[in-house]
Amino acid sequence: MTLGVHDLSVGRGDVQVLTGVGFTCAPGSALVLRGPNGSGKTTLLRTLAGLTPPIAGRIEAAPEAIAYAGHSDGIKAQMTVAENLTFWARIAGHRDIATALDAFDLGSLSERRAGELSAGQKRRLSLARLMVTGRPIWCLDEPTVSLDTENTARFARAIAGHLGRGGIAIVATHIDLGIGGETLDVSRFAAQSLRPDDPFAGDWSA
Amino acid sequence: MTLGVHDLSVGRGDVQVLTGVGFTCAPGSALVLRGPNGSGKTTLLRTLAGLTPPIAGRIEAAPEAIAYAGHSDGIKAQMTVAENLTFWARIAGHRDIATALDAFDLGSLSERRAGELSAGQKRRLSLARLMVTGRPIWCLDEPTVSLDTENTARFARAIAGHLGRGGIAIVATHIDLGIGGETLDVSRFAAQSLRPDDPFAGDWSA
Amino acid sequence: MKAVLARDLTLAFRAGGGFGLALAFFLIVVILVPFGVGPETDTLRLIAPGILWLGALLACLLSLDRIFQLDWEDGSLELLATSALPLETLALAKALAHWLTTGLPLVVAAPAFGLLLNLDPAAYPWLVAALLAGTPGLSAIGTFGAALTVGIRRGGLLLSLLVLPLYVPTLLFGAMVASRAAEGLDPLPPLALLAGLTLGAVAAMPFAAAGALRIALR
Amino acid sequence: MKAVLARDLTLAFRAGGGFGLALAFFLIVVILVPFGVGPETDTLRLIAPGILWLGALLACLLSLDRIFQLDWEDGSLELLATSALPLETLALAKALAHWLTTGLPLVVAAPAFGLLLNLDPAAYPWLVAALLAGTPGLSAIGTFGAALTVGIRRGGLLLSLLVLPLYVPTLLFGAMVASRAAEGLDPLPPLALLAGLTLGAVAAMPFAAAGALRIALR
Amino acid sequence: MASIWEYANPRKFMATSEALLPWTVGLAAATLGVGLVWGFFFTPDDFRQGSTVKIIYLHVPSAVMAINVWIMMLIASLIWLVRRHHVSALAAKAAAGIGAVYTMIALLTGAIWGQQMWGTWWEWDPRLTAFLVLFLFYLGYMAMWQAVENPDAAADLTTVLCLVGSVFAVISRYALDFWNQGLHQDRFQLLDGESDVSPVFAVPLLICIAGFALVFVALVLYRTRTEIRARRLRALLTQERLA
Ligand code: HEM
Ligand SMILES: Nc1ncnc2c1ncn2[C@@H]1O[C@H](COP(=O)(O)OP(=O)(O)OP(=O)(O)O)[C@@H](O)[C@H]1O
Ligand SMILES: Nc1ncnc2c1ncn2[C@@H]1O[C@H](COP(=O)(O)OP(=O)(O)OP(=O)(O)O)[C@@H](O)[C@H]1O
Ligand SMILES: [Mg+2]
Ligand SMILES: [Mg+2]
């Protein structure tokens, strides 16, 4: 499974944020998205995940292959860590959550209510959620926010394992994650203009 | 204005997280809180800010001197950046938001609806909010999450300015912020036990 | 589908989940009415079926915004939308969970509340039958409304505004069943209409709701 | 205080703020009642004042959870609690904003809705007077309830449950004013009681609400 | 030949409507003026209803138009849904306010008339009720436009709403044909030979209906232009911000 992006334009609301984005990711490779605040990393990842329709261009990969983890994590505070994970595993069609719990050292927390976790513990849970989806392409938006050094290393190992199984990871970040992979500076594609297909834009004086 | 903390025990829910915490911060000094995930940094900061009552111990500083900025930022998505800031400035009893806007380079975003900001832009707004409170002691929980390098530097300058005016900053973080100051590893005070004043705990067999 | 249903039911029974509150609200409306309109037994008996239905409807309404809004706020809805589960199935599971936690308890408890309003004895079985036939429709229509207003912060009031007019036919026929039974007339025709309405709503809802969700999540 | 008031009003008028929706909901309840109880003019006239009050009360209720919940969710409430503004003032400003966006429109529109229910002509001025005297009390009590349930995710139904019993006296006297006027009796005594209730609620509420907020935020 | 869809381009629409607007306004004012003056001052009082009958010149045109406006909104929304023409969606949005006002006029005049004729302001008969529900749909429709941030999403969602509301628009017109009960006036056939309204009333009434329709056309053009300008303004502001 290869992810190919061709001449993609992405936007939020009325605004086109990036244009002409193109890259390919072979199985087993990671791509690190970089760029200053507001440059469009989140927008690009949401478009790849199929949450925002692209303005133009083509994404070569079934949306069913992509798992997305953004700022909000879909964790229910009233359910335990294990219950949360089990739910997402069942939605994905299987039931094994032990590997995911292990990968992020959540075993000892598995009976805790998710609402009682610290910021970093919650983040680990939402990364574990990714593993249970069983999807080959991971789109991660600042995944190591709130993680301490030990858990950042755990995350890097999880990514390495995923790539080793032929997966793909696209990761937006501001800090160094130590996962290797190519780096793509999204500000290269900056567009910051109105959507070109907006009929209310342009010069009306003529 | 000095911040003194003496033999403080803090907790969340039924659990005592830290005990015996003690430090003093002279005006113009910063304290960086460190510790692995779940070690109790957030809990300590919330207690200092007066949001959670301490289990035992003493905090020497009027709660009216402390401004807190945690994970949720109190930003109204429907109001513009300037409106949001003005509101907090008025609550604090003054009206100047220009300095705060400048400090975080929000001038060009000031008429944007806050809901349309990227993660890093929102974070800058919530840091700017701290400045308009005009309070001497800042309690910051992972303030540079989502900030790019340029804005992290801006943040460091803002802290330096605040300290220069005789302010105090207590900052919890996992990454290096470049603000100097002493470092306190909260895991030194780890307690992770039931609250000692819980009448249902202890050995009942006797 | 089963996973969603199980999760929603779990959440409803957990602290703050709101199970049983619909029932309590129903009870309060039924109790407040005599205060508002005066305690004359005859007037009460006359308006009892209508008030019971109105109470059920309002209780149902009040819990509608839980259906999707919570999932939207914590990001679950986006994740579910990108998951293997079709949104139609999701909407159906949500409606079913809503009915099980709101409609069903109302059906069971309604006869007891009928006592409070001096409902005619002959009307009891019909009241239950009508509620049983009507409330799934309320949940289905409500799920559609909830899908329309998801993503609008505190869309609760807007949701009511959109959904209540759609509840009019159900209310009309529902109240008619019990009041015809109380007057000794044949309550079957409105009951059949009621069941028809519900069937229609349940059949059409998943598609309409899924469409609305797709637009809202875009 | 002014800052909070201005912000809440701004938010109410902005997209999704919900201004006017209480009115729409009131209208809908008033319309639904005839469907439930049947369109006989005499019955309607009899229960009109009670139903109008019930409608106003439910409309008011539905918007209560906006008062503190939104501020709690985005963290504003914590920040306000640690700010220089006393929580008592905050509660008062919130109640006032709620009344201006919900109660006042209801008072203005009530006579028009009276028509739909065939309210007795003699009762109109008294209906308005009673609503004017009573709705600020509803907002005040509601603010207290909202403070009690803040922090409980989707406390809406629980909130209704807590607040509705407190609304009973207001409902009782409010409906009595209009119905006594319709029957040609002196409506002043219940009106005075109503005003007294409101004054009491408005005077006591800020302290009670602030206390509840302090506990909820802990 | 130029396709009719060209007018779905906002610029094209602005140009065309600018030329059309004065004519429509003039024509609307003239027709409505003639119809109302004729109806109010130059028709005899009814032998049974006295001068009350003159309400007919307000009630019937506004009631008829209230329903027609919804149907027009439905058509415009469907055009948006199928062909994604922004002007079409904005026209539907612009029409809603006018339709709601017409509905309100019909409700108010109907109520006043009812007070005279039936001795009651309001009756819960199927047609009147469906009409009132239609009014609620107008309110909900406008609230929905208000509440949704993204204009395209708002257009989509309101289209769904418009579709559902059409059921009630149809019922308020044809309820009597379905149930054949209720107090309200029967549908009279103004145009066929054996009209049950004498031509003395019918001709000015027809002129009034035409007047209300033209007023609607003028207002909808005007308001659609305003909506387009608002969108244009929004685009320009965004453009300026990004520059
Ligand atoms: C609040 C009360 C009333 C409401 C809501 C109301 C509403 C309506 C509606 C919805 C229509 C149909 C328009 C159409 O089919 O396009 C209509 C038409 C009409 N109404 Fe009323 N009406 C009311 C009271 C009255 C009264 C009291 C009278 C006279 C006694 C009256 C006389 C008529 C006539 C003559 C028509 C034209 C008949 C037709 O084309 O169907 N209405 N009204
Ligand atoms: N909901 C929205 N509506 C309109 N514009 C938005 C919205 N969200 C973000 N934007 C704008 O789109 C641009 C790209 O935002 P995006 O969130 O993709 O940036 P980012 O690269 O993820 O930034 P950060 O590093 O701060 O997270 C920004 O200029 C932002 O202001
Ligand atoms: N609401 C809560 N109820 C009960 N326990 C909680 C609650 N929030 C956090 N805890 C527990 O208290 C401990 C301290 O949490 P705290 O949030 O203070 O950690 P932290 O140092 O900020 O961690 P992080 O770096 O992940 O943000 C953790 O073990 C956590 O599981
Ligand atoms: Mg981002
Ligand atoms: Mg923390």
Side-chain angles (χ1 to χ4, degrees):
Chain A
M1 162 118 295
T2 310
L3 171 69
V5 169
H6 303 284
D7 203 20
L8 191 71
S9 296
V10 300
R12 282 297 267 282
D14 308 332
V15 184
Q16 169 167 297
V17 177
L18 300 175
T19 186
V21 183
F23 58 81
T24 14
C25 283
S29 70
L31 182 71
V32 177
L33 298 181
R34 291 200 160 256
N37 287 147
S39 55
K41 301 178 293 298
T42 301
T43 312
L44 178 56
L45 285 176
R46 287 179 57 91
T47 311
L48 290 180
L51 288 168
T52 313
I55 298 178
R58 214 149 36 85
I59 303 169
E60 269 168 18
E64 304 88 53
I66 300 181
Y68 171 77
H71 299 294
S72 42
D73 38 25
I75 290 173
K76 291 287 169 197
Q78 297 101 316
M79 303 205 302
T80 65
V81 171
E83 284 173 337
N84 268 296
L85 270 188
T86 309
F87 170 69
W88 289 109
R90 287 181 65 186
I91 290 287
H94 44 94
R95 294 177 162 269
D96 171 43
I97 60 163
T99 347
L101 280 176
D102 274 357
F104 290 97
D105 191 29
L106 289 166
S108 62
L109 296 172
S110 70
E111 295 307 314
R112 281 276 269 289
R113 283 182 49 245
E116 293 174 1
L117 298 180
S118 81
Q121 290 162 343
K122 245 182 224 148
R123 171 60 51 167
R124 272 145 66 194
L125 173 52
S126 80
L127 291 174
R129 190 193 63 78
L130 268 184
M131 300 194 68
V132 301
T133 58
R135 294 190 164 185
I137 305 179
W138 289 0
C139 288
L140 311 180
D141 200 356
E142 307 194 43
T144 58
V145 157
S146 299
L147 291 188
D148 58 17
T149 21
E150 194 185 333
N151 285 300
T152 311
R154 261 198 201 102
F155 166 72
R157 277 201 299 281
I159 291 276
H162 179 64
L163 299 182
R165 287 186 297 275
I168 293 178
I170 320 267
V171 187
T173 183
H174 291 295
I175 55 178
D176 187 41
L177 303 175
I179 57 168
E182 248 177 287
T183 302
L184 184 76
D185 189 337
V186 294
S187 47
R188 264 184 33 208
F189 308 107
Q192 290 291 359
S193 60
L194 280 175
R195 300 174 60 116
D197 55 356
D198 186 340
F200 299 96
D203 187 9
W204 278 24
S205 57
Chain B
M1 164 116 294
T2 309
L3 172 69
V5 169
H6 303 283
D7 203 21
L8 191 71
S9 296
V10 300
R12 284 295 269 281
D14 308 330
V15 183
Q16 169 167 299
V17 178
L18 299 176
T19 187
V21 183
F23 58 82
T24 14
C25 283
S29 69
L31 181 72
V32 177
L33 299 181
R34 290 198 161 259
N37 287 146
S39 55
K41 301 177 295 299
T42 301
T43 312
L44 178 56
L45 285 175
R46 286 180 58 92
T47 312
L48 291 180
L51 288 168
T52 312
I55 297 178
R58 215 149 35 83
I59 302 170
E60 269 167 18
E64 303 88 55
I66 299 180
Y68 170 76
H71 298 293
S72 44
D73 38 25
I75 289 173
K76 292 285 167 197
Q78 296 100 316
M79 303 206 299
T80 66
V81 170
E83 283 173 339
N84 268 295
L85 268 188
T86 309
F87 170 70
W88 289 109
R90 287 180 66 185
I91 290 288
H94 45 93
R95 293 177 163 271
D96 172 43
I97 60 164
T99 344
L101 281 177
D102 275 358
F104 289 98
D105 192 29
L106 288 167
S108 61
L109 296 172
S110 69
E111 295 306 313
R112 279 277 269 289
R113 285 183 47 250
E116 292 176 0
L117 298 179
S118 81
Q121 291 162 342
K122 245 182 223 148
R123 173 59 52 168
R124 272 145 68 194
L125 174 53
S126 80
L127 292 174
R129 192 193 63 77
L130 268 183
M131 299 194 69
V132 301
T133 59
R135 296 191 163 185
I137 305 178
W138 289 0
C139 289
L140 310 180
D141 200 356
E142 307 195 43
T144 58
V145 157
S146 299
L147 291 188
D148 57 18
T149 22
E150 194 185 334
N151 285 300
T152 310
R154 264 199 197 100
F155 166 72
R157 278 201 299 281
I159 292 277
H162 179 64
L163 299 181
R165 287 185 298 274
I168 293 177
I170 321 268
V171 187
T173 183
H174 290 294
I175 56 176
D176 186 43
L177 302 176
I179 57 168
E182 249 174 286
T183 303
L184 184 78
D185 190 335
V186 296
S187 46
R188 266 187 24 211
F189 309 107
Q192 291 289 3
S193 60
L194 277 176
R195 300 174 59 115
D197 55 356
D198 187 337
F200 302 96
D203 188 7
W204 277 25
S205 58
Chain C
M1 162 106 192
K2 255 200 243 153
V4 175
L5 193 62
R7 183 183 71 149
D8 275 21
L9 294 180
T10 317
L11 284 173
F13 286 107
R14 292 274 157 93
F19 178 76
L21 286 174
L23 212 53
F25 181 81
F26 187 26
L27 176 63
I28 292 183
V29 169
V30 170
I31 291 176
L32 283 187
V33 166
F35 284 112
V37 306
E40 291 82 20
T41 319
D42 287 346
T43 320
L44 281 182
R45 187 191 307 272
L46 206 62
I47 63 175
I51 297 300
L52 283 171
W53 263 95
L54 201 67
L57 194 149
L58 291 172
C60 180
L61 198 71
L62 227 61
S63 47
L64 284 184
D65 72 337
R66 305 178 73 98
I67 297 182
F68 291 117
Q69 195 70 14
L70 288 175
D71 277 351
W72 185 78
E73 278 168 15
D74 66 14
S76 305
L77 198 56
E78 290 189 344
L79 296 175
L80 283 170
T82 57
S83 79
L85 192 78
L87 283 179
E88 283 79 6
T89 320
L90 177 69
L92 201 61
K94 288 277 178 181
L96 187 56
H98 180 261
W99 184 73
L100 287 177
T101 52
T102 314
L104 192 58
L106 290 185
V107 175
V108 175
F113 296 159
L115 284 181
L116 290 177
L117 292 176
N118 281 300
L119 187 69
D120 194 287
Y124 282 98
W126 292 105
L127 177 72
V128 174
L131 281 171
L132 207 55
T135 46
L138 296 184
S139 289
I141 297 175
T143 306
F144 165 64
L148 267 183
T149 53
V150 72
I152 301 172
R153 277 184 86 68
R154 277 306 161 284
L157 220 44
L158 177 60
L159 173 59
S160 318
L161 183 59
L162 297 181
V163 162
L164 272 177
L166 293 175
Y167 278 180
V168 168
T170 306
L171 177 64
L172 197 67
F173 295 126
M176 210 185 274
V177 171
S179 62
R180 282 179 74 107
E183 289 164 22
L185 298 169
D186 180 13
L188 268 182
L191 188 61
L193 278 169
L194 200 61
L197 277 175
T198 296
L199 282 180
V202 170
M205 180 276 298
F207 306 99
L213 281 178
R214 277 195 197 96
I215 298 166
L217 284 174
R218 195 187 287 156
Chain D
M1 161 107 191
K2 254 199 245 155
V4 175
L5 192 62
R7 183 183 71 149
D8 275 21
L9 294 181
T10 316
L11 285 174
F13 286 106
R14 290 276 157 91
F19 176 77
L21 285 175
L23 208 56
F25 182 80
F26 187 22
L27 174 64
I28 292 181
V29 169
V30 170
I31 292 175
L32 285 187
V33 166
F35 286 110
V37 305
E40 290 82 21
T41 319
D42 287 343
T43 323
L44 281 181
R45 189 192 305 273
L46 205 62
I47 62 173
I51 297 300
L52 282 171
W53 264 95
L54 202 67
L57 194 149
L58 292 173
C60 183
L61 200 72
L62 224 64
S63 48
L64 284 184
D65 72 335
R66 304 178 73 97
I67 297 182
F68 291 116
Q69 195 70 14
L70 287 176
D71 277 351
W72 185 78
E73 278 168 16
D74 65 15
S76 305
L77 198 57
E78 291 189 342
L79 297 174
L80 283 169
T82 56
S83 79
L85 191 79
L87 282 180
E88 285 78 6
T89 321
L90 177 69
L92 201 62
K94 288 275 180 185
L96 186 56
H98 181 259
W99 185 72
L100 286 177
T101 52
T102 313
L104 192 58
L106 290 186
V107 175
V108 174
F113 297 160
L115 284 183
L116 290 178
L117 292 177
N118 282 299
L119 187 68
D120 194 286
Y124 283 97
W126 293 105
L127 176 72
V128 175
L131 281 172
L132 207 54
T135 46
L138 296 185
S139 290
I141 297 174
T143 306
F144 167 62
L148 269 181
T149 53
V150 72
I152 302 172
R153 277 184 85 69
R154 276 306 160 285
L157 220 44
L158 177 59
L159 174 58
S160 318
L161 196 57
L162 295 178
V163 163
L164 272 176
L166 294 176
Y167 278 180
V168 167
T170 307
L171 176 66
L172 200 64
F173 295 126
M176 208 186 275
V177 171
S179 61
R180 283 178 73 104
E183 289 163 22
L185 298 169
D186 181 13
L188 269 182
L191 187 59
L193 278 170
L194 199 60
L197 276 176
T198 295
L199 283 180
V202 171
M205 177 277 297
F207 306 99
L213 282 179
R214 280 198 194 93
I215 297 167
L217 284 174
R218 191 184 288 159
Chain E
M1 206 193 92
S3 148
I4 182 185
W5 299 116
E6 263 184 25
Y7 298 99
N9 175 309
R11 265 179 71 187
K12 186 85 184 185
F13 181 87
M14 286 305 269
T16 319
S17 60
E18 184 164 16
L20 276 178
L21 200 52
W23 296 100
T24 1
V25 170
L27 199 60
T31 319
L32 190 65
V34 168
L36 286 183
V37 170
W38 186 348
F40 279 154
F41 300 111
F42 299 100
T43 53
D45 285 355
D46 187 74
F47 66 96
R48 205 157 38 94
Q49 308 180 24
S51 59
T52 334
V53 72
K54 298 190 166 170
I55 292 182
I56 202 174
Y57 301 110
L58 288 175
H59 175 74
V60 174
S62 53
V64 169
M65 280 312 291
I67 296 172
N68 288 350
V69 169
W70 190 273
I71 293 168
M72 176 244 141
M73 282 160 54
L74 178 68
I75 295 169
S77 300
L78 289 178
I79 292 178
W80 155 256
L81 200 64
V82 177
R83 301 197 59 131
R84 308 309 274 185
H85 288 314
H86 288 78
V87 174
S88 190
L90 291 183
K93 181 185 183 189
I98 311 169
V101 172
Y102 276 173
T103 314
M104 207 144 83
I105 295 176
L107 284 171
L108 286 178
T109 52
I112 295 168
W113 204 358
Q115 169 66 15
Q116 301 296 316
M117 292 298 300
W118 314 326
T120 159
W121 298 95
W122 183 260
E123 271 306 326
W124 294 97
D125 92 341
R127 167 187 262 188
L128 302 197
T129 307
F131 196 63
L132 193 59
V133 172
L134 182 65
F135 181 58
L136 295 181
F137 266 93
Y138 269 118
L139 294 183
Y141 183 89
M142 293 191 294
M144 194 88 199
W145 266 108
Q146 277 279 311
V148 182
E149 255 346 296
N150 182 314
D152 288 4
D156 284 332
L157 292 173
T158 50
T159 298
V160 179
L161 204 59
C162 194
L163 259 166
V164 178
S166 301
V167 175
F168 293 89
V170 169
I171 295 181
S172 40
R173 175 153 292 165
Y174 301 106
L176 296 186
D177 305 356
F178 297 157
W179 283 290
N180 204 13
Q181 54 172 322
L183 267 176
H184 195 274
Q185 240 52 27
D186 241 335
R187 297 177 51 73
F188 47 46
Q189 270 66 48
L190 286 171
L191 295 177
D192 66 9
E194 24 175 348
S195 168
D196 47 4
V197 177
S198 85
V200 192
F201 297 114
V203 175
L205 182 57
L206 278 177
I207 298 179
C208 275
I209 295 180
F212 267 68
L214 283 167
V215 166
F216 166 73
V217 172
L219 283 176
V220 103
L221 280 182
Y222 193 78
R223 283 170 58 98
T224 309
R225 286 170 60 83
T226 312
E227 293 292 345
I228 291 178
R229 286 205 177 98
R231 285 291 293 277
R232 173 76 177 145
L233 185 66
R234 193 183 143 120
L236 287 178
L237 283 175
T238 316
Q239 224 161 18
E240 188 185 288
R241 199 188 70 206
L242 295 172

